[in-house]
Coordinates of all heavy atoms in Angstrom, one line a residue:
A1 N 4.6 8.1 -13.3 CA 5.4 7.9 -12.2 C 6.4 9.1 -11.9 O 7.0 9.6 -12.8 CB 6.3 6.6 -12.4
A2 N 6.3 9.5 -10.7 CA 7.1 10.7 -10.4 C 8.5 10.2 -10.1 O 8.8 9.2 -9.4 CB 6.5 11.4 -9.2
E3 N 9.5 10.9 -10.5 CA 10.9 10.6 -10.3 C 11.3 10.4 -8.9 O 10.9 11.3 -8.0 CB 11.8 11.6 -10.9 CG 13.2 11.3 -10.9 CD 13.5 10.2 -11.9 OE1 12.8 10.1 -12.9 OE2 14.4 9.4 -11.6
G4 N 11.8 9.2 -8.5 CA 12.2 9.1 -7.1 C 11.1 8.6 -6.1 O 11.3 8.3 -4.9
K5 N 9.9 8.6 -6.6 CA 8.8 8.2 -5.7 C 8.5 6.8 -5.9 O 8.3 6.3 -6.9 CB 7.5 9.0 -5.9 CG 7.6 10.5 -5.7 CD 6.3 11.1 -5.6 CE 6.5 12.6 -5.1 NZ 5.3 13.1 -4.7
T6 N 8.5 6.0 -4.8 CA 8.3 4.6 -4.9 C 6.8 4.3 -4.8 O 6.5 3.1 -5.1 CB 9.2 3.8 -3.8 OG1 8.8 4.3 -2.6 CG2 10.7 4.1 -4.0
R7 N 6.1 5.1 -4.4 CA 4.6 4.8 -4.2 C 3.8 5.8 -5.0 O 3.4 6.8 -4.4 CB 4.1 4.9 -2.7 CG 4.9 4.1 -1.8 CD 4.3 2.8 -1.6 NE 4.9 2.0 -0.6 CZ 4.7 0.8 -0.5 NH1 3.9 0.1 -1.3 NH2 5.4 0.0 0.5
N8 N 3.6 5.5 -6.2 CA 2.9 6.3 -7.0 C 1.4 5.6 -7.4 O 1.2 4.5 -7.1 CB 3.5 6.5 -8.5 CG 4.7 7.4 -8.4 OD1 4.5 8.6 -8.1 ND2 5.9 6.8 -8.6
S9 N 0.5 6.4 -7.9 CA -0.8 5.9 -8.4 C -1.5 5.1 -7.3 O -1.9 4.0 -7.4 CB -0.6 5.0 -9.6 OG 0.1 5.7 -10.6
L10 N -1.6 5.7 -6.1 CA -2.4 5.1 -5.0 C -3.9 5.3 -5.2 O -4.3 6.4 -5.6 CB -1.9 5.6 -3.7 CG -0.4 5.4 -3.4 CD1 0.0 5.9 -2.1 CD2 -0.1 3.9 -3.4
P11 N -4.7 4.3 -4.7 CA -6.1 4.5 -4.8 C -6.7 5.6 -3.9 O -6.0 5.8 -2.9 CB -6.7 3.1 -4.5 CG -5.6 2.5 -3.7 CD -4.3 3.0 -4.2
K12 N -7.7 6.2 -4.2 CA -8.3 7.4 -3.4 C -9.1 6.8 -2.2 O -9.3 7.3 -1.2 CB -9.1 8.3 -4.2 CG -8.2 9.1 -5.3 CD -9.1 10.0 -6.0 CE -8.1 10.7 -7.0 NZ -8.8 11.6 -7.8
T13 N -9.6 5.6 -2.4 CA -10.5 5.0 -1.3 C -9.9 3.7 -0.8 O -9.0 3.1 -1.4 CB -11.8 4.6 -2.1 OG1 -11.6 3.7 -3.1 CG2 -12.6 5.7 -2.7
P14 N -10.3 3.3 0.3 CA -9.9 2.1 1.0 C -10.4 0.9 0.1 O -11.1 1.1 -0.8 CB -10.4 2.0 2.3 CG -11.7 3.1 2.2 CD -11.4 4.0 1.2
P15 N -9.7 -0.2 0.3 CA -10.1 -1.4 -0.5 C -11.6 -1.6 -0.4 O -12.2 -1.5 0.6 CB -9.3 -2.5 0.2 CG -8.6 -2.1 1.3 CD -8.8 -0.5 1.3
L16 N -12.3 -1.8 -1.5 CA -13.7 -1.9 -1.6 C -14.1 -3.4 -1.1 O -14.6 -3.5 0.0 CB -14.2 -1.7 -2.9 CG -13.8 -0.2 -3.4 CD1 -14.3 0.0 -4.8 CD2 -14.6 0.7 -2.5
S17 N -13.8 -4.3 -1.8 CA -14.2 -5.7 -1.5 C -13.1 -6.6 -1.4 O -13.3 -7.8 -1.1 CB -15.2 -6.2 -2.5 OG -14.7 -6.3 -3.7
M18 N -11.8 -6.2 -1.6 CA -10.7 -7.0 -1.6 C -10.3 -7.2 -0.2 O -10.0 -6.2 0.5 CB -9.6 -6.4 -2.4 CG -8.3 -7.4 -2.5 SD -7.0 -6.7 -3.5 CE -7.7 -7.2 -5.1
S19 N -10.1 -8.5 0.2 CA -9.7 -8.9 1.4 C -8.3 -8.6 1.6 O -7.5 -8.8 0.6 CB -9.9 -10.5 1.6 OG -9.2 -10.9 2.7
P20 N -8.0 -8.1 2.7 CA -6.5 -7.8 3.0 C -5.6 -9.0 2.9 O -4.4 -8.9 2.7 CB -6.5 -7.1 4.3 CG -7.7 -7.4 5.0 CD -8.7 -7.7 3.9
N21 N -6.3 -10.2 3.0 CA -5.5 -11.5 3.0 C -5.5 -12.0 1.5 O -5.0 -13.0 1.4 CB -6.0 -12.4 3.9 CG -6.0 -11.9 5.4 OD1 -5.0 -11.4 5.7 ND2 -7.0 -12.3 6.2
A22 N -6.2 -11.3 0.6 CA -6.2 -11.8 -0.8 C -4.9 -11.9 -1.4 O -3.9 -11.0 -1.0 CB -7.0 -10.9 -1.7
H23 N -4.5 -12.9 -2.2 CA -3.2 -13.0 -2.7 C -3.3 -12.8 -4.3 O -4.1 -13.7 -4.9 CB -2.6 -14.3 -2.3 CG -1.3 -14.5 -3.0 ND1 -0.1 -14.1 -2.4 CD2 -0.8 -15.2 -4.0 CE1 0.8 -14.3 -3.1 NE2 0.5 -15.1 -4.1
T24 N -2.6 -12.0 -4.9 CA -2.5 -11.8 -6.3 C -1.6 -12.9 -6.9 O -0.4 -12.9 -6.4 CB -2.3 -10.5 -6.9 OG1 -1.1 -10.0 -6.5 CG2 -3.4 -9.5 -6.3
P25 N -1.9 -13.6 -7.9 CA -0.9 -14.6 -8.4 C 0.4 -14.0 -9.0 O 0.2 -12.9 -9.5 CB -1.7 -15.4 -9.4 CG -2.8 -14.6 -9.7 CD -3.2 -13.7 -8.5
T26 N 1.4 -14.6 -8.9 CA 2.6 -14.2 -9.4 C 2.7 -14.7 -10.9 O 2.5 -15.8 -11.3 CB 3.9 -14.8 -8.7 OG1 3.7 -14.5 -7.3 CG2 5.3 -14.4 -9.3
P27 N 2.9 -13.6 -11.9 CA 3.0 -13.9 -13.3 C 4.1 -14.9 -13.7 O 5.2 -14.8 -12.9 CB 3.3 -12.6 -14.0 CG 3.0 -11.6 -12.9 CD 3.2 -12.2 -11.6
A28 N 4.0 -15.8 -14.4 CA 5.0 -16.7 -14.9 C 6.3 -16.2 -15.3 O 7.3 -16.6 -15.3 CB 4.3 -17.7 -15.8
T29 N 6.0 -14.8 -16.0 CA 7.2 -14.2 -16.5 C 7.9 -13.3 -15.4 O 8.9 -12.6 -15.8 CB 6.8 -13.2 -17.6 OG1 5.7 -12.4 -17.2 CG2 6.3 -14.1 -18.8
N30 N 7.6 -13.3 -14.2 CA 8.2 -12.6 -13.1 C 9.4 -13.3 -12.6 O 9.6 -13.6 -11.5 CB 7.2 -12.3 -11.9 CG 7.8 -11.3 -11.0 OD1 8.6 -10.5 -11.3 ND2 7.3 -11.4 -9.8
T31 N 10.4 -13.6 -13.5 CA 11.7 -14.2 -13.2 C 12.8 -13.6 -13.9 O 12.7 -12.8 -14.8 CB 11.7 -15.7 -13.8 OG1 11.6 -15.7 -15.1 CG2 10.3 -16.5 -13.3
L32 N 13.9 -13.8 -13.3 CA 15.1 -13.4 -13.8 C 15.4 -13.8 -15.2 O 15.9 -13.2 -16.1 CB 16.5 -13.5 -12.8 CG 17.7 -13.0 -13.3 CD1 17.7 -11.4 -13.4 CD2 18.8 -13.4 -12.3
E33 N 15.1 -15.0 -15.4 CA 15.3 -15.7 -16.7 C 14.4 -15.0 -17.8 O 15.0 -14.7 -18.9 CB 14.9 -17.3 -16.7 CG 15.9 -18.0 -15.9 CD 15.6 -17.9 -14.4 OE1 14.5 -17.6 -14.0 OE2 16.6 -18.1 -13.6
S34 N 13.2 -14.6 -17.5 CA 12.4 -13.9 -18.4 C 13.0 -12.5 -18.7 O 13.0 -12.1 -19.9 CB 11.0 -13.7 -17.8 OG 10.3 -15.0 -17.8
F35 N 13.5 -11.9 -17.7 CA 14.0 -10.5 -17.9 C 15.4 -10.6 -18.8 O 15.5 -9.8 -19.7 CB 14.4 -9.9 -16.5 CG 15.2 -8.6 -16.7 CD1 14.6 -7.5 -17.0 CD2 16.5 -8.6 -16.4 CE1 15.1 -6.3 -17.1 CE2 17.2 -7.3 -16.5 CZ 16.5 -6.2 -16.8
K36 N 16.1 -11.7 -18.6 CA 17.3 -11.9 -19.4 C 17.0 -12.1 -20.9 O 17.8 -11.8 -21.8 CB 18.2 -12.9 -18.9 CG 18.9 -12.6 -17.6 CD 19.6 -13.7 -17.1 CE 20.4 -13.3 -15.8 NZ 21.2 -14.5 -15.2
R37 N 15.8 -12.5 -21.2 CA 15.3 -12.7 -22.6 C 14.9 -11.5 -23.3 O 14.6 -11.5 -24.6 CB 14.3 -13.9 -22.6 CG 14.8 -15.3 -22.3 CD 13.9 -16.3 -22.8 NE 12.6 -16.3 -22.0 CZ 12.3 -16.9 -20.9 NH1 13.1 -17.6 -20.3 NH2 11.1 -16.8 -20.3
L38 N 14.7 -10.5 -22.6 CA 14.2 -9.2 -23.2 C 15.3 -8.6 -24.1 O 16.5 -8.9 -24.0 CB 13.9 -8.2 -22.1 CG 12.7 -8.5 -21.2 CD1 12.5 -7.4 -20.0 CD2 11.4 -8.5 -22.1
P39 N 14.9 -7.8 -25.0 CA 16.0 -7.2 -26.0 C 17.2 -6.5 -25.1 O 17.1 -6.1 -24.0 CB 15.1 -6.0 -26.7 CG 13.7 -6.5 -26.5 CD 13.5 -7.2 -25.2
Y40 N 18.3 -6.3 -25.8 CA 19.5 -5.9 -25.2 C 19.4 -4.6 -24.4 O 20.1 -4.4 -23.5 CB 20.5 -5.8 -26.4 CG 20.4 -4.6 -27.2 CD1 20.9 -3.4 -27.0 CD2 19.6 -4.7 -28.4 CE1 20.7 -2.3 -27.8 CE2 19.4 -3.6 -29.1 CZ 20.0 -2.4 -28.9 OH 19.7 -1.3 -29.6
F41 N 18.5 -3.7 -25.0 CA 18.4 -2.4 -24.2 C 17.8 -2.3 -22.8 O 17.8 -1.3 -22.1 CB 17.9 -1.3 -25.2 CG 16.5 -1.8 -25.8 CD1 15.3 -1.6 -25.1 CD2 16.5 -2.2 -27.1 CE1 14.2 -2.1 -25.6 CE2 15.4 -2.6 -27.6 CZ 14.1 -2.6 -26.9
F42 N 17.2 -3.5 -22.5 CA 16.7 -3.6 -21.2 C 17.8 -4.2 -20.2 O 18.1 -5.3 -20.2 CB 15.5 -4.6 -21.1 CG 14.2 -4.0 -21.7 CD1 13.8 -4.3 -23.0 CD2 13.3 -3.1 -21.0 CE1 12.7 -3.8 -23.5 CE2 12.4 -2.6 -21.5 CZ 11.9 -3.0 -22.8
T43 N 18.3 -3.2 -19.6 CA 19.4 -3.6 -18.5 C 19.0 -3.2 -17.1 O 18.0 -2.6 -17.0 CB 20.8 -2.9 -18.9 OG1 20.6 -1.5 -18.7 CG2 21.1 -3.2 -20.4
D44 N 19.9 -3.6 -16.2 CA 19.5 -3.1 -14.8 C 19.5 -1.7 -14.6 O 19.1 -1.1 -13.6 CB 20.5 -3.8 -13.8 CG 20.1 -5.2 -13.4 OD1 18.7 -5.5 -13.5 OD2 20.8 -6.0 -13.1
R45 N 20.2 -1.0 -15.6 CA 20.3 0.5 -15.5 C 19.3 1.2 -16.3 O 19.1 2.4 -16.3 CB 21.7 0.9 -16.0 CG 22.8 0.5 -15.1 CD 24.2 1.0 -15.7 NE 24.5 0.2 -16.8 CZ 25.3 0.5 -17.8 NH1 26.0 1.6 -17.6 NH2 25.6 -0.2 -18.8
N46 N 18.3 0.5 -16.9 CA 17.2 1.0 -17.6 C 16.2 1.6 -16.7 O 16.0 1.0 -15.6 CB 16.6 -0.1 -18.5 CG 15.2 0.2 -19.1 OD1 14.3 0.3 -18.5 ND2 15.5 0.4 -20.5
E47 N 15.6 2.7 -17.0 CA 14.7 3.4 -16.2 C 13.5 2.5 -15.8 O 12.9 2.6 -14.6 CB 14.3 4.8 -16.7 CG 13.4 5.5 -15.8 CD 13.9 6.0 -14.5 OE1 15.2 6.0 -14.3 OE2 13.2 6.2 -13.5
G48 N 13.1 1.7 -16.6 CA 11.9 0.9 -16.6 C 12.3 -0.3 -15.4 O 11.5 -0.5 -14.5
R49 N 13.5 -0.6 -15.4 CA 13.9 -1.7 -14.4 C 14.0 -1.0 -13.1 O 13.8 -1.6 -12.0 CB 15.2 -2.3 -14.9 CG 15.6 -3.4 -14.0 CD 14.7 -4.6 -14.2 NE 15.4 -5.7 -13.5 CZ 14.6 -6.9 -13.4 NH1 13.5 -6.9 -13.9 NH2 15.2 -7.9 -12.8
T50 N 14.5 0.3 -13.0 CA 14.6 1.0 -11.7 C 13.2 1.2 -11.2 O 13.0 0.8 -10.1 CB 15.3 2.4 -12.0 OG1 16.5 2.1 -12.5 CG2 15.2 3.2 -10.7
R51 N 12.2 1.5 -12.0 CA 10.8 1.7 -11.5 C 10.3 0.3 -11.1 O 9.5 0.3 -10.1 CB 10.0 2.4 -12.5 CG 10.4 3.8 -12.6 CD 9.7 4.6 -13.7 NE 10.2 6.0 -13.7 CZ 9.6 6.9 -14.3 NH1 8.4 6.7 -14.9 NH2 10.2 8.1 -14.5
W52 N 10.7 -0.7 -11.8 CA 10.2 -2.0 -11.5 C 10.6 -2.4 -10.0 O 9.9 -2.9 -9.2 CB 10.7 -3.1 -12.4 CG 10.3 -4.4 -12.1 CD1 9.1 -5.1 -12.5 CD2 11.0 -5.4 -11.4 NE1 9.1 -6.5 -12.0 CE2 10.2 -6.5 -11.3 CE3 12.3 -5.3 -10.8 CZ2 10.7 -7.8 -10.7 CZ3 12.7 -6.5 -10.2 CH2 11.9 -7.6 -10.2
R53 N 11.9 -2.1 -9.8 CA 12.5 -2.4 -8.5 C 11.7 -1.7 -7.4 O 11.5 -2.1 -6.3 CB 14.0 -2.1 -8.4 CG 14.8 -3.2 -9.0 CD 16.3 -3.0 -8.7 NE 16.9 -1.8 -9.4 CZ 17.4 -1.8 -10.6 NH1 17.3 -2.9 -11.3 NH2 17.8 -0.6 -11.0
W54 N 11.4 -0.4 -7.6 CA 10.6 0.4 -6.6 C 9.3 -0.3 -6.3 O 8.8 0.0 -5.1 CB 10.3 1.8 -7.2 CG 11.3 2.7 -7.5 CD1 12.7 2.6 -7.0 CD2 11.3 4.0 -8.3 NE1 13.5 3.8 -7.5 CE2 12.6 4.6 -8.3 CE3 10.3 4.5 -9.0 CZ2 12.8 5.7 -9.0 CZ3 10.6 5.8 -9.6 CH2 11.9 6.4 -9.6
R55 N 8.8 -1.0 -7.3 CA 7.4 -1.4 -7.0 C 7.2 -2.9 -6.9 O 6.3 -3.4 -6.2 CB 6.4 -1.0 -8.2 CG 6.4 0.5 -8.3 CD 5.7 0.9 -9.5 NE 5.6 2.3 -9.7 CZ 6.3 3.1 -10.4 NH1 7.4 2.5 -11.0 NH2 6.1 4.4 -10.3
Y56 N 8.1 -3.8 -7.5 CA 7.9 -5.1 -7.7 C 8.9 -6.2 -7.2 O 8.9 -7.2 -7.5 CB 7.4 -5.4 -9.1 CG 6.3 -4.7 -9.6 CD1 6.4 -3.7 -10.5 CD2 5.0 -4.9 -9.2 CE1 5.2 -2.9 -10.8 CE2 3.9 -4.3 -9.5 CZ 4.1 -3.2 -10.5 OH 3.0 -2.6 -11.0
D57 N 10.1 -5.6 -6.8 CA 11.2 -6.5 -6.6 C 11.1 -7.4 -5.4 O 11.8 -8.3 -5.1 CB 12.5 -5.7 -6.6 CG 12.7 -4.8 -5.4 OD1 11.7 -4.5 -4.7 OD2 13.9 -4.4 -5.1
T58 N 10.1 -7.2 -4.5 CA 9.8 -8.1 -3.4 C 8.4 -8.6 -3.5 O 7.5 -7.9 -4.2 CB 10.1 -7.6 -2.0 OG1 9.1 -6.5 -1.7 CG2 11.4 -7.0 -2.0
E59 N 8.0 -9.7 -3.0 CA 6.6 -10.1 -3.1 C 5.7 -9.2 -2.3 O 4.6 -8.9 -2.7 CB 6.5 -11.6 -2.5 CG 5.2 -12.2 -2.4 CD 4.4 -12.3 -4.0 OE1 5.3 -12.2 -4.8 OE2 3.4 -12.5 -4.0
E60 N 6.2 -8.7 -1.2 CA 5.4 -7.6 -0.3 C 5.1 -6.4 -1.2 O 3.9 -5.9 -1.4 CB 6.0 -7.2 0.8 CG 5.3 -6.3 1.6 CD 6.2 -5.8 2.9 OE1 7.3 -6.4 3.2 OE2 5.6 -5.0 3.7
K61 N 6.1 -5.8 -1.9 CA 5.9 -4.6 -2.8 C 4.9 -5.1 -4.0 O 4.0 -4.3 -4.3 CB 7.1 -4.2 -3.5 CG 8.0 -3.5 -2.5 CD 9.2 -3.1 -3.3 CE 10.3 -2.5 -2.5 NZ 11.6 -2.2 -3.2
R62 N 5.1 -6.2 -4.5 CA 4.2 -6.7 -5.7 C 2.7 -6.8 -5.3 O 1.8 -6.3 -5.9 CB 4.7 -7.9 -6.4 CG 4.2 -8.3 -7.7 CD 4.5 -9.6 -8.3 NE 3.9 -10.7 -7.4 CZ 2.7 -11.0 -7.5 NH1 1.8 -10.4 -8.3 NH2 2.3 -12.0 -6.8
Q63 N 2.6 -7.5 -4.1 CA 1.2 -7.6 -3.6 C 0.5 -6.3 -3.3 O -0.6 -6.0 -3.7 CB 1.2 -8.5 -2.3 CG 1.5 -9.9 -2.5 CD 0.4 -10.6 -3.2 OE1 -0.8 -10.3 -3.2 NE2 0.7 -11.4 -4.2
H64 N 1.3 -5.3 -2.7 CA 0.8 -4.1 -2.4 C 0.4 -3.3 -3.7 O -0.6 -2.7 -3.8 CB 1.8 -3.2 -1.6 CG 1.4 -1.9 -1.3 ND1 0.6 -1.5 -0.2 CD2 1.7 -0.6 -2.0 CE1 0.4 -0.2 -0.3 NE2 1.0 0.4 -1.2
M65 N 1.2 -3.3 -4.7 CA 1.1 -2.6 -6.0 C -0.1 -3.2 -6.7 O -1.0 -2.4 -7.3 CB 2.3 -2.5 -6.8 CG 3.4 -1.7 -6.1 SD 2.9 0.1 -5.8 CE 2.6 0.7 -7.2
M66 N -0.2 -4.5 -6.8 CA -1.2 -5.0 -7.6 C -2.6 -5.0 -7.0 O -3.6 -4.7 -7.5 CB -1.0 -6.6 -7.8 CG 0.3 -6.9 -8.7 SD 0.3 -6.0 -10.3 CE -1.2 -6.7 -11.0
K67 N -2.7 -5.0 -5.7 CA -4.1 -4.7 -5.0 C -4.4 -3.3 -5.2 O -5.5 -3.0 -5.4 CB -3.8 -5.0 -3.5 CG -3.7 -6.5 -3.2 CD -3.5 -6.8 -1.8 CE -3.4 -8.3 -1.5 NZ -3.0 -8.5 -0.2
N68 N -3.4 -2.3 -5.1 CA -3.7 -0.9 -5.5 C -4.2 -0.7 -6.9 O -5.1 0.0 -7.2 CB -2.6 0.1 -5.1 CG -2.4 0.3 -3.7 OD1 -3.4 0.1 -2.9 ND2 -1.3 0.7 -3.3
Y69 N -3.6 -1.5 -7.8 CA -3.9 -1.4 -9.2 C -5.5 -1.9 -9.4 O -6.2 -1.3 -10.0 CB -3.0 -2.4 -10.0 CG -3.5 -2.4 -11.4 CD1 -3.1 -1.4 -12.4 CD2 -4.0 -3.6 -11.9 CE1 -3.4 -1.6 -13.7 CE2 -4.4 -3.7 -13.3 CZ -4.1 -2.6 -14.2 OH -4.5 -2.8 -15.5
Y70 N -5.8 -3.0 -8.8 CA -7.2 -3.6 -8.8 C -8.1 -2.7 -8.1 O -9.2 -2.4 -8.6 CB -7.2 -4.9 -8.2 CG -6.4 -6.0 -8.9 CD1 -5.7 -6.9 -8.2 CD2 -6.5 -6.1 -10.4 CE1 -5.0 -7.9 -9.0 CE2 -5.8 -7.0 -11.0 CZ -5.1 -7.9 -10.4 OH -4.5 -8.9 -11.0
R71 N -7.7 -1.9 -7.0 CA -8.5 -1.0 -6.4 C -8.8 0.3 -7.3 O -9.9 0.7 -7.4 CB -7.9 -0.5 -5.1 CG -8.0 -1.6 -4.1 CD -7.2 -1.1 -2.8 NE -7.1 -2.2 -1.9 CZ -5.9 -2.5 -1.1 NH1 -4.9 -1.7 -1.2 NH2 -5.8 -3.5 -0.3
M72 N -7.8 0.7 -8.1 CA -7.9 1.8 -8.9 C -8.9 1.5 -10.0 O -9.7 2.2 -10.5 CB -6.6 2.4 -9.4 CG -5.9 3.1 -8.3 SD -4.5 4.0 -8.7 CE -3.4 2.6 -9.4
A73 N -8.8 0.2 -10.6 CA -9.7 -0.2 -11.7 C -11.1 -0.3 -11.1 O -12.0 0.1 -11.8 CB -9.2 -1.6 -12.1
T74 N -11.3 -0.7 -9.9 CA -12.6 -0.7 -9.3 C -13.1 0.7 -9.2 O -14.3 1.0 -9.4 CB -12.5 -1.3 -8.0 OG1 -12.1 -2.7 -8.1 CG2 -13.9 -1.3 -7.3
E75 N -12.3 1.7 -8.8 CA -12.8 3.2 -8.7 C -13.2 3.6 -10.0 O -14.2 4.4 -10.2 CB -11.5 4.0 -8.2 CG -11.2 3.8 -6.8 CD -10.0 4.6 -6.3 OE1 -9.5 5.3 -7.1 OE2 -9.7 4.5 -5.1
V76 N -12.5 3.3 -11.1 CA -12.9 3.6 -12.5 C -14.1 3.2 -12.9 O -15.1 3.7 -13.4 CB -11.8 3.3 -13.5 CG1 -12.3 3.5 -14.9 CG2 -10.5 4.2 -13.3
D77 N -14.3 1.8 -12.6 CA -15.6 1.1 -12.9 C -16.7 1.8 -12.2 O -17.8 2.0 -12.7 CB -15.4 -0.4 -12.5 CG -16.7 -1.2 -12.9 OD1 -17.0 -1.2 -14.0 OD2 -17.3 -1.8 -11.9
T78 N -16.5 2.1 -10.8 CA -17.6 2.7 -10.0 C -17.9 4.1 -10.6 O -19.1 4.5 -10.6 CB -17.1 2.9 -8.6 OG1 -16.7 1.5 -8.1 CG2 -18.1 3.4 -7.7
A79 N -16.9 4.9 -11.1 CA -17.1 6.2 -11.5 C -17.9 6.1 -12.8 O -18.9 6.9 -13.1 CB -15.8 6.9 -11.8
C80 N -17.6 5.2 -13.7 CA -18.4 4.9 -14.9 C -19.8 4.6 -14.6 O -20.8 5.1 -15.3 CB -17.7 3.8 -15.8 SG -16.1 4.3 -16.4
G81 N -20.0 3.8 -13.7 CA -21.4 3.4 -13.2 C -22.2 4.5 -12.9 O -23.3 4.7 -13.2
V82 N -21.6 5.5 -12.1 CA -22.2 6.7 -11.6 C -22.7 7.6 -12.8 O -23.8 8.0 -12.9 CB -21.3 7.5 -10.6 CG1 -21.9 8.9 -10.4 CG2 -21.2 6.8 -9.3
I83 N -21.7 7.7 -13.8 CA -21.9 8.5 -15.0 C -23.1 7.8 -15.8 O -24.0 8.5 -16.2 CB -20.7 8.6 -15.8 CG1 -19.7 9.5 -15.2 CG2 -21.0 9.2 -17.3 CD1 -18.2 9.4 -15.7
L84 N -23.0 6.6 -16.0 CA -24.2 5.9 -16.8 C -25.6 6.1 -16.1 O -26.5 6.3 -16.8 CB -23.8 4.4 -16.9 CG -22.6 4.1 -17.8 CD1 -22.2 2.7 -17.9 CD2 -23.0 4.6 -19.3
K85 N -25.5 5.9 -14.8 CA -26.7 6.1 -14.0 C -27.3 7.5 -14.2 O -28.5 7.6 -14.4 CB -26.5 5.8 -12.4 CG -27.8 5.5 -11.8 CD -27.5 5.1 -10.3 CE -27.1 3.5 -10.4 NZ -26.9 3.0 -9.1
E86 N -26.5 8.5 -14.1 CA -26.9 9.9 -14.3 C -27.4 10.1 -15.7 O -28.4 10.7 -16.0 CB -25.7 10.8 -14.0 CG -26.1 12.3 -14.1 CD -27.3 12.8 -13.2 OE1 -27.6 12.0 -12.2 OE2 -27.9 13.7 -13.5
L87 N -26.7 9.5 -16.8 CA -27.1 9.7 -18.2 C -28.6 9.0 -18.2 O -29.5 9.7 -19.0 CB -26.1 9.1 -19.1 CG -24.9 9.8 -19.3 CD1 -24.0 8.9 -20.1 CD2 -25.3 11.0 -20.2
E88 N -28.8 7.9 -17.7 CA -30.1 7.2 -17.7 C -31.1 8.0 -17.1 O -32.2 8.2 -17.6 CB -29.9 5.8 -17.1 CG -31.1 5.0 -17.2 CD -31.0 3.6 -16.6 OE1 -30.4 3.5 -15.5 OE2 -31.5 2.7 -17.2
R89 N -30.7 8.7 -15.9 CA -31.7 9.4 -15.1 C -32.1 10.6 -15.9 O -33.4 11.1 -16.0 CB -31.1 10.0 -13.8 CG -32.0 10.7 -12.9 CD -31.4 11.3 -11.7 NE -30.6 12.5 -12.1 CZ -31.1 13.7 -12.4 NH1 -32.4 13.9 -12.5 NH2 -30.2 14.7 -12.7
Q90 N -31.2 11.2 -16.8 CA -31.5 12.3 -17.6 C -32.2 12.0 -19.0 O -32.5 13.0 -19.7 CB -30.3 13.2 -17.8 CG -29.7 13.9 -16.5 CD -28.5 14.8 -16.8 OE1 -28.3 15.1 -17.9 NE2 -27.6 15.0 -15.9
G91 N -32.2 10.8 -19.2 CA -32.8 10.4 -20.4 C -31.8 10.4 -21.7 O -32.3 10.4 -22.9
G92 N -30.6 10.5 -21.4 CA -29.5 10.6 -22.4 C -28.7 9.4 -22.7 O -27.8 9.4 -23.5
L93 N -29.1 8.3 -22.0 CA -28.2 7.1 -22.1 C -28.1 6.5 -23.5 O -27.1 6.1 -24.0 CB -28.7 5.9 -21.1 CG -27.8 4.8 -21.0 CD1 -26.4 5.1 -20.5 CD2 -28.5 3.7 -20.1
D94 N -29.2 6.5 -24.2 CA -29.1 6.1 -25.6 C -29.0 7.1 -26.6 O -29.1 7.0 -27.8 CB -30.7 5.5 -25.9 CG -31.0 4.2 -25.1 OD1 -30.1 3.5 -24.7 OD2 -32.2 4.0 -24.7
N95 N -28.4 8.3 -26.2 CA -28.2 9.5 -27.1 C -26.8 9.8 -26.8 O -26.5 11.1 -26.7 CB -29.2 10.5 -26.9 CG -29.0 11.6 -28.1 OD1 -28.5 11.3 -29.1 ND2 -29.5 12.7 -27.8
T96 N -25.8 9.0 -26.7 CA -24.4 9.4 -26.3 C -23.4 8.9 -27.4 O -23.7 7.9 -28.1 CB -23.9 8.9 -25.0 OG1 -24.0 7.6 -24.9 CG2 -24.7 9.6 -23.9

């Protein structure tokens, strides 16, 4: 995460198969009560909490970031598929 940037780690490609209307579920631990149960060194002044606010403190931000996270995971999966296909084409798939 770059200091001061609220939009880091964006996918390089548009959404592949994720519908713009798809909804990612809210984690059960995404509550103030859960945050208050964390160890004492997690405070509102903690850098992790600052970055959380940049990305997840509203439902709109959370949806945006989680969809981008899933898109990037899809990009990694697609890239691995391309590599495996090329290894297979070259006859090296079983020799890696």
Side-chain angles (χ1 to χ4, degrees):
E3 191 65 32
K5 291 196 175 195
T6 58
R7 302 273 189 196
N8 287 293
S9 305
L10 297 176
K12 294 180 180 178
T13 59
L16 299 174
S17 61
M18 181 172 281
S19 164
N21 298 325
H23 179 79
T24 62
T26 301
T29 56
N30 189 25
T31 65
L32 184 57
E33 292 76 30
S34 291
F35 177 72
K36 288 178 179 179
R37 286 194 300 268
L38 293 173
Y40 72 92
F41 48 83
F42 286 101
T43 68
D44 277 334
R45 292 181 287 160
N46 177 282
E47 183 61 24
R49 188 65 171 174
T50 298
R51 292 178 181 195
W52 178 87
R53 277 191 297 274
W54 291 346
R55 297 175 180 95
Y56 302 107
D57 68 343
T58 68
E59 183 61 14
E60 181 182 354
K61 286 181 190 177
R62 195 184 69 72
Q63 287 295 318
H64 177 82
M65 293 305 293
M66 292 309 298
K67 288 176 184 179
N68 281 341
Y69 176 79
Y70 293 135
R71 288 174 189 141
M72 287 188 296
T74 300
E75 289 175 3
V76 169
D77 185 59
T78 300
C80 289
V82 169
I83 292 167
L84 289 172
K85 199 174 280 187
E86 181 61 20
L87 284 170
E88 185 176 41
R89 187 188 72 74
Q90 293 182 22
L93 185 59
D94 295 326
N95 190 24
T96 59

